[in-house]
Amino acid sequence: TSADDTSYVDGSLWGMSGASTTPTSSNGANADGAWAKGYTGNRQVYVAVIDSGVDVSHPDLASNMWVNSDEIPGDGIDNDGNGYIDDVNGYDFINGDGTVFDAGEHPHGTHVAGIIGAGGNNSIGVSGVNWNVKLISAKMMNSDGQATIANAISAIDYITDLRTQKGLDIIASNNSWGGEAYSRALEDAIKRGGDAGIIFVTAAGNSAVDVNSTPTYPAAYDCTTTHRLFDCVVSVAALNEDGTLA
């Protein structure tokens, strides 16, 4: 089954296409090839969006947002005792509350959440790689697209705790942000997530530079350890439709 979402059908989402799909794109990810084989995701799998807030009521996202059934929304009480009050869909580490989408919110978090998990084949909007998934919002980027290392660490540790304490099958976090400053504390937080089994997917940046020779973080962090055989950081570069680096 191919997606019938308007932005996929008109070719705008070329990144989801492949060399033999319709629409066709030789530089797309060929997500459509997976959809055609019935691989459209699973709502028992969780992906964290560590970014600006996510529009939890968006018609392409609402059905795929995590809902913390152990919290009573809006009662001002930490019902599940995890240290966060009213974290129903995630947590806002800028304002210190459970409202992950505020007035004037920067659109980036919603944008990347849509790429990961917009409900596909619903005849509207866009299609995510996964039509079925559970998205958790960990908001650490403000309305200007800026973030502090401290808030990033808090957001990463929150997601790690959700996996280790609540048993959510969080397989990855998406971290489409970065900068030139090295932080041992941030690197350690990423490694704590890796030790819990969470892959830290991050942006290589849009400068077309080798992040190993000209480091940008968190993409350049080495997340290997003696007790874990895999590097938990996956750095991803974006392509233009013609295959050149974005």
Side-chain angles (χ1 to χ4, degrees), residues 17-66:
S17 299
S20 59
T21 64
T22 303
T24 298
S25 177
S26 59
N27 293 305
N30 195 29
D32 199 337
W35 302 334
K37 295 180 182 297
Y39 298 107
T40 57
N42 188 316
R43 286 181 180 154
Q44 301 302 310
V45 172
Y46 298 76
V47 176
V49 179
I50 302 177
D51 207 289
S52 60
V54 175
D55 183 357
V56 299
S57 63
H58 192 290
D60 254 345
L61 294 174
S63 64
N64 281 341
M65 293 304 304
W66 170 58

Side-chain angles (χ1 to χ4, degrees), residues 108-181:
H108 194 257
T110 299
H111 169 62
V112 297
I115 296 171
I116 298 164
N121 212 32
N122 61 0
S123 303
I124 60 169
V126 302
S127 176
V129 174
N130 305 283
W131 298 354
N132 302 287
V133 67
K134 284 301 179 187
L135 300 168
I136 305 170
S137 175
K139 176 181 170 179
M140 42 67 79
M141 188 184 296
N142 66 19
S143 58
D144 295 322
Q146 302 297 313
T148 66
I149 288 176
N151 282 343
I153 292 169
S154 295
I156 293 166
D157 283 338
Y158 169 70
I159 296 302
T160 302
D161 288 346
L162 288 181
R163 180 175 171 103
T164 59
Q165 297 179 15
K166 294 180 76 70
L168 300 184
D169 187 18
I170 303 171
I171 62 166
S173 64
N174 187 86
N175 304 271
S176 295
W177 43 269
E180 297 178 357

